[in-house]
Amino acid sequence: MFKRISGLVLAGLTAMSVAACGSGGSDTSANTTGGGDSTITMGFSQVGAESGWRTANTKSVQDAAKNASITLKFSDAQQKQENQIKAIRSYIQQKVDVIAFSPVVESGWDTVLKEAQNAKIPVILTDRAVDSKDTSLYKTFLGSDFVEEGRKAGKWLVEEYKDSTDPVNIVELQGTTGSAPANDRKAGFQETIGAESKFKIIASQTGDFTRAKGKEVMEAFLKSNPDIDVLYAHNDDMGLGAIEAIEGAGKVPGKDIKIITVDAVKDGMQALADGKINYIVECSPLLGPQLMDLAKKVVKGEQVPARVVTEETVFTQEEAKKVLSTRQY
Ligand code: GZL
């Protein structure tokens, strides 16, 4: 968990090149020439393509690289840490100017980050954090405050049930095991509801941030728990999969079982506007411009904040109806 420092902004013009990084995951980049020798080359290791959020985040990074005159080498780790480590090592061998990545899990990065440090290649964490004790291993962490996102979800639930003393049975679909958003969204939610004994988390399991797994785990929850009042899903995609399971069980999502999710991607906001989800905590994937701005500063050796927190909000069903047509992702 980091202290809050408010975030920032912009960037200029770019190009992308063919990613030559090693095996492990899929490497994709368009090849257009950027500026001369002064063009910055960034090696970016992405978690995967597990959710609507991730797809939007990838597009934001790739578009921002193009607009900021940064040559982007991009790899998709298919949600495997070993693929990210291979990609980072490949970027080190290619002597890129800066490495950025979204660590799929919090632990196990010190060795490869030390290799980047020894190669004098600065590293930027984006989206997710690592639990390395040595914070000199990266220049900055740009991303959401996931604990706060969990607190926001919990606060809505406390308010929603403030006039009731009956037990409230909650099931929780956790994000990827060991990931910062899963750990912190769980902690923030528990911190907020824990003060009231009527709230009981009767089942909690990972759905790995995917629709398919969210549906599968919710089906199991429904089979073993006849009296579920609330679902807290750590992202929209798992919530959308759970909606399929809830409807398959003959129950009405948003009414028989209230649903809180995190992200606010288009499909989630549509379900919110349709009344199938009750509340969404926004987690913005549009980190690309801020990332490129930070990369330029870091490559120039300028000081950057150790922590840059993205600005984000929350949505009720009424608010979703108003903003749906204007959403960027
Ligand atoms: C959060 C991000 C999470 C999203 C999920 O910043 O890491 O990963 O909430 C995504 O949708 O899969």
Side-chain angles (χ1 to χ4, degrees):
M1 291 191 265
F2 289 78
K3 62 181 172 33
R4 270 184 91 70
I5 297 177
S6 63
L8 3 77
V9 135
L10 277 196
L13 297 175
T14 314
M16 297 165 75
S17 77
V18 177
C21 52
S23 60
S26 57
D27 308 323
T28 57
S29 303
N31 183 9
T32 50
T33 51
D37 294 342
S38 64
T39 303
I40 292 170
T41 299
M42 172 187 283
F44 188 96
S45 170
Q46 180 60 291
V47 165
E50 74 281 2
S51 62
W53 190 99
R54 189 64 55 197
T55 306
N57 178 247
T58 290
K59 183 176 186 312
S60 176
V61 168
Q62 291 178 335
D63 289 353
K66 211 176 291 177
N67 297 329
S69 192
I70 288 177
T71 297
L72 185 68
K73 294 177 183 292
F74 182 93
S75 66
D76 170 338
Q78 291 154 1
Q79 288 188 281
K80 292 185 176 62
Q81 181 174 31
E82 65 266 26
N83 288 342
Q84 290 199 287
I85 290 172
K86 281 179 196 161
I88 291 169
R89 286 194 167 125
S90 166
Y91 297 143
I92 293 169
Q93 282 163 5
Q94 296 176 67
K95 297 184 174 19
V96 298
D97 299 301
V98 58
I99 291 171
F101 76 115
S102 169
V104 60
V105 292
E106 286 192 287
S107 305
W109 301 100
D110 284 38
T111 301
V112 73
L113 292 179
K114 281 201 175 61
E115 291 168 19
Q117 192 174 60
N118 293 340
K120 301 197 179 349
I121 299 176
V123 173
I124 296 174
L125 299 182
T126 169
D127 169 28
R128 298 184 184 178
V130 299
D131 61 8
S132 304
K133 297 278 176 290
D134 181 358
T135 55
S136 75
L137 292 173
Y138 51 89
K139 294 295 180 189
T140 183
F141 165 38
L142 161 65
S144 303
D145 180 340
F146 302 132
V147 177
E148 185 56 26
E149 291 172 346
R151 291 193 192 105
K152 289 176 182 175
K155 283 174 189 157
W156 179 84
L157 198 61
V158 168
E159 178 63 21
E160 184 71 8
Y161 283 91
K162 67 178 186 302
D163 299 328
S164 162
T165 52
D166 296 340
V168 180
N169 293 329
I170 303 162
V171 293
E172 180 180 29
L173 285 170
Q174 296 182 41
T176 302
T177 302
S179 68
N183 293 337
D184 291 354
R185 284 172 185 167
K186 181 171 183 55
F189 183 72
Q190 182 57 48
E191 178 190 301
T192 313
I193 67 163
E196 301 197 30
S197 59
K198 66 186 174 190
F199 294 116
K200 299 190 183 331
I201 298 181
I202 58 173
S204 181
Q205 195 177 324
T206 183
D208 210 16
F209 283 131
T210 69
R211 268 192 213 206
K213 198 86 173 104
K215 179 181 179 183
E216 183 190 314
V217 174
M218 190 66 199
E219 284 168 346
F221 284 164
L222 287 160
K223 283 200 182 74
S224 46
N225 302 281
D227 300 327
I228 298 171
D229 300 304
V230 175
L231 163 65
Y232 170 46
H234 291 183
N235 81 331
D236 293 350
D237 288 70
M238 294 189 293
L240 293 163
I243 285 169
E244 291 178 42
I246 292 166
E247 290 173 333
K251 293 177 184 257
V252 180
K255 291 191 173 30
D256 297 335
I257 297 177
K258 293 196 189 316
I259 301 177
I260 310 163
T261 66
V262 185
D263 277 349
V265 296
K266 183 77 93 179
D267 290 349
M269 293 291 275
Q270 185 63 61
L272 182 61
D274 295 345
K276 294 188 177 185
I277 291 177
N278 298 85
Y279 192 68
I280 297 185
V281 176
E282 185 184 42
C283 174
S284 175
L286 306 180
L287 304 176
Q290 292 173 279
L291 173 60
M292 298 308 152
D293 181 64
L294 286 164
K296 285 185 165 183
K297 289 186 166 82
V298 157
V299 168
K300 276 192 264 179
E302 290 177 15
Q303 280 301 310
V304 294
R307 178 74 174 93
V308 178
V309 182
T310 42
E311 304 297 322
E312 45 208 30
T313 184
V314 292
F315 295 101
T316 63
Q317 291 173 345
E318 286 318 305
E319 287 158 351
K321 287 174 191 159
K322 288 190 198 123
V323 303
L324 196 56
S325 60
T326 62
R327 296 290 291 166
Q328 289 182 64
Y329 65 94

